Amino acid sequence: MLKGDLTTRTKTYQSEAVIESLIRVLGFSTIGFVVLIFLFLLRQGMPFFFQVPWANFLGTRWYPTFGLFGTLPLILGSILVTLTAIVIALPLGLATAVFVREVAPNWAREVLKPLIEVLAGIPSVVLGFFGMNIVAPLVRTTLDVPTGLTAFTGAIILAYMALPTIVSVAEDALDAVPKSYRDAGLALGATKWQVIWRVVVPAARSGIVVAVMLGLGRAIGETMAVMMVTGNAARMPLTLDSLFRPVRTMTATIAAEMGEVAQGSVHFQALFGIGIILFVLTFLINLAAARPIFQKRRRGGLR
Amino acid sequence: MNKFVVQNLNFYYGKFRALSGVTLTIPDRQITALIGPSGCGKSTFLRCLNRMNDTISGTRVEGKVLLEGQDIYERRVNVTDLRRRVGMVFQRPNPFPQSVYDNVAFGPRALGTVRKSQLDDIVEESLRGAGLWEEVKDHLNQDALSFSLGQQQRLCIARAIAVKPEVILMDEPCSALDPIETLQIEELMQKLKVNYCIVIVTHSMQQAARVSEWTGFFWLGELVEFDSTAKIFTNPSQPLTENYITGRAG
């Protein structure tokens, strides 16, 4: 071997190449699996959209045994429960994040942050159980409605499930706001609260949007807890009091009916069709969540 | 007339003593420059004048800082009121990631001014005062971070004077700027000193010599010498000062 020959392939070089290609294969296969799952979903679900006329699957009645596959009440049910959950969770989550980051003393922050993140690990069936036995009766008695298993009950449980995500991500966003902004605000004679609400929170806005979107993504896909507490009546939630009536979500429909459906039947395909709709919705939400992140990255610079 | 009278000021970061026995008076409507090597305490001293060091935990102050005769470290002093009277411009331009207008209007809004016409007047007046109006009057709704660093720093000055303070503290305001932008800031300071008491911390001795009437030289947390700028730069009474300004120490 010539000394100083730069083209020599040493042994380390070869093992590096092996490791690198292995990592590449693993990385691409992850993407591959997601694509495969989506293809499987399409193969099972797409026939539904061709076999059943538009008027039927965009109808307002979901009675698969009578050949009525109106998905609208399910889609609206999911949206109603999820949006209500976010309306509850956003102010709570933001306030908690502000408290943890801006108000709580250091030692409390060290305890609170991991504690809140642990909440995300509570199995949803446990929360569903809690919702059925504690929240639902409470809703029934305090609001004086016929049943406590309502969209509102589901929204409360979902809000609770989305909270850890929202708090954790929003807290990170607040944490990333440079001290120089806070100093500038304080040096102008603003009070601590004025600095928080007029400088820090607006500066963290994109991160807070991401937090909400991630919470939303988690909420809309949630199945078990929702199925246990929303009452599962596939009715159109159009009236004002729908929030305090039972609804049925897309996820709960799939979970409840998949077990007893004949494989390959129209009903079977309809459930996969709902799966496709859900997938697209979740995908759009995640895309919306990713946008501010990409924008920030492109902008870069002084922050 | 004296704006600040500082008597025997000690300052601690935890156990570390960053300032010892600083005593000086800062005159109104003139520029006072503080020079010295990095870590000598000049920025710490500046931040004692509007109590910005309060935001750092584990710090402690001894001695007196009198603003027009009132001790600003007295228990009943309202820190936000103090900071409205003693504004500050930082080393790196730090406009909020908001529009030019919102940046300047921040202070007045925090003070409770909400009338649009009133805010418009304050914004224009402050931007004119900072020599920035002609450059930004058609871009008031543009993101402040899209301007050059020099413009951002003048925007920070406009934001500071929008609350009509009596004192403007400047912590190395030109260290992130190029020579032309630096010159603009220095010219601005000459205009501002007609109405304000200005205290500037600077690394550049030329800058101190160019802009200030009074100069204080800090060394290892102590004020070695405080005198008229002309005296400090031509005939300092302390050999350490002479060594520093001639480049033999520091």
Side-chain angles (χ1 to χ4, degrees), chain A residues 91-141:
Chain A
L92 271 177
L94 187 56
T96 311
V98 166
F99 173 75
V100 172
R101 176 60 190 83
E102 306 286 335
V103 185
N106 270 330
W107 63 266
R109 184 177 316 153
E110 312 265 296
V111 178
L112 278 171
K113 188 101 199 282
L115 212 63
I116 288 166
E117 276 157 12
V118 162
L119 289 183
I122 297 178
S124 62
V125 67
V126 173
L127 286 175
F129 189 68
F130 172 76
M132 266 174 119
N133 290 294
I134 311 285
V135 184
L138 208 69
V139 168
R140 182 169 53 79
T141 49

Side-chain angles (χ1 to χ4, degrees), chain B residues 78-139:
Chain B
N78 183 334
V79 181
T80 59
D81 286 347
L82 167 70
R83 290 182 187 145
R84 279 164 194 170
R85 292 175 64 188
V86 185
M88 189 167 203
V89 174
F90 295 82
Q91 186 171 359
R92 289 207 67 90
N94 58 352
F96 303 126
Q98 300 169 3
S99 71
V100 171
Y101 186 97
D102 288 341
N103 262 282
V104 182
F106 178 89
R109 277 178 180 150
L111 274 162
T113 308
V114 286
R115 281 248 316 278
K116 175 87 170 106
S117 58
Q118 226 171 334
L119 283 174
D120 287 349
D121 290 345
I122 296 176
V123 168
E124 178 173 346
E125 189 188 332
S126 308
L127 285 169
R128 281 191 194 280
L132 196 61
W133 176 251
E134 292 302 323
E135 291 159 65
V136 302
K137 65 179 176 192
D138 298 322
H139 311 283

Side-chain angles (χ1 to χ4, degrees), chain A residues 44-48 51 261 264-274:
Chain A
Q44 300 287 337
M46 278 320 271
F48 167 69
Q51 279 184 16
V261 73
S265 67
V266 181
H267 187 188
F268 179 80
Q269 289 166 350
L271 294 181
F272 273 96
I274 295 173

Side-chain angles (χ1 to χ4, degrees), chain A residues 180 184 186 189 194 198-199 299, chain B residues 83-84 94 98 106 110 143:
Chain A
S180 67
L186 291 173
Q194 286 172 331
R198 299 180 187 198
V199 179
R299 201 163 159 202
Chain B
R83 290 182 187 145
R84 279 164 194 170
N94 58 352
Q98 300 169 3
F106 178 89
D143 186 349

Side-chain angles (χ1 to χ4, degrees), chain A:
Chain A
M1 196 203 297
L2 275 165
K3 198 180 173 191
D5 181 5
L6 295 171
T7 60
T8 329
R9 305 264 151 130
T10 57
K11 216 167 177 179
T12 10
Y13 182 93
Q14 283 164 3
S15 64
E16 290 251 339
V18 170
I19 293 169
E20 198 183 307
S21 51
L22 198 71
I23 288 173
R24 187 175 299 142
V25 168
L26 288 173
F28 278 116
S29 60
T30 314
I31 300 171
F33 287 134
V34 174
V35 172
L36 281 178
I37 290 171
F38 186 56
L39 287 179
F40 170 76
L41 197 65
L42 281 185
R43 203 177 75 98
Q44 300 287 337
M46 278 320 271
F48 167 69
F49 296 105
F50 296 110
Q51 279 184 16
V52 178
W54 284 73
N56 189 348
F57 77 75
L58 290 179
T60 58
R61 286 154 70 85
W62 174 266
Y63 288 119
T65 29
F66 300 108
L68 292 174
F69 296 105
T71 50
L72 225 47
L74 313 179
I75 296 172
L76 291 179
S78 278
I79 291 174
L80 176 69
V81 175
T82 308
L83 286 187
T84 312
I86 290 302
V87 167
I88 299 170
L90 173 61
L92 271 177
L94 187 56
T96 311
V98 166
F99 173 75
V100 172
R101 176 60 190 83
E102 306 286 335
V103 185
N106 270 330
W107 63 266
R109 184 177 316 153
E110 312 265 296
V111 178
L112 278 171
K113 188 101 199 282
L115 212 63
I116 288 166
E117 276 157 12
V118 162
L119 289 183
I122 297 178
S124 62
V125 67
V126 173
L127 286 175
F129 189 68
F130 172 76
M132 266 174 119
N133 290 294
I134 311 285
V135 184
L138 208 69
V139 168
R140 182 169 53 79
T141 49
T142 50
L143 295 175
D144 194 25
V145 284
T147 170
L149 300 176
T150 65
F152 185 63
T153 320
I156 292 175
I157 297 296
L158 274 192
Y160 188 79
M161 295 184 70
L163 263 180
T165 313
I166 293 179
V167 173
S168 177
V169 178
E171 202 265 350
D172 288 342
L174 294 175
D175 195 43
V177 174
K179 188 175 183 296
S180 67
Y181 293 170
R182 297 168 213 269
D183 281 355
L186 291 173
L188 287 166
T191 63
K192 190 175 178 179
W193 284 108
Q194 286 172 331
V195 170
I196 290 173
W197 291 116
R198 299 180 187 198
V199 179
V200 179
V201 170
R205 195 174 41 215
S206 61
I208 293 167
V209 170
V210 172
V212 171
M213 288 296 172
L214 290 176
L216 204 70
R218 180 173 156 88
I220 199 167
E222 170 50 34
T223 308
M224 183 49 75
V226 169
M227 190 161 75
M228 288 167 80
V229 299
T230 54
N232 295 318
R235 57 184 293 278
M236 287 291 284
L238 290 180
T239 51
L240 275 176
D241 65 340
S242 297
L243 192 54
F244 306 105
R245 301 265 204 100
V247 289
R248 187 195 282 207
T249 64
M250 295 188 275
T251 49
T253 308
I254 300 175
E257 297 177 10
M258 194 52 99
E260 33 198 78
V261 73
Q263 279 226 2
S265 67
V266 181
H267 187 188
F268 179 80
Q269 289 166 350
L271 294 181
F272 273 96
I274 295 173
I276 292 173
I277 297 171
L278 193 61
F279 185 93
V280 170
L281 268 179
T282 319
F283 184 74
L284 289 178
I285 290 170
N286 279 320
L287 211 63
R291 246 189 66 207
I293 302 178
F294 286 130
Q295 274 173 348
K296 200 164 186 181
R297 210 172 284 161
R298 246 185 289 128
R299 201 163 159 202
L302 285 170
R303 283 253 113 188

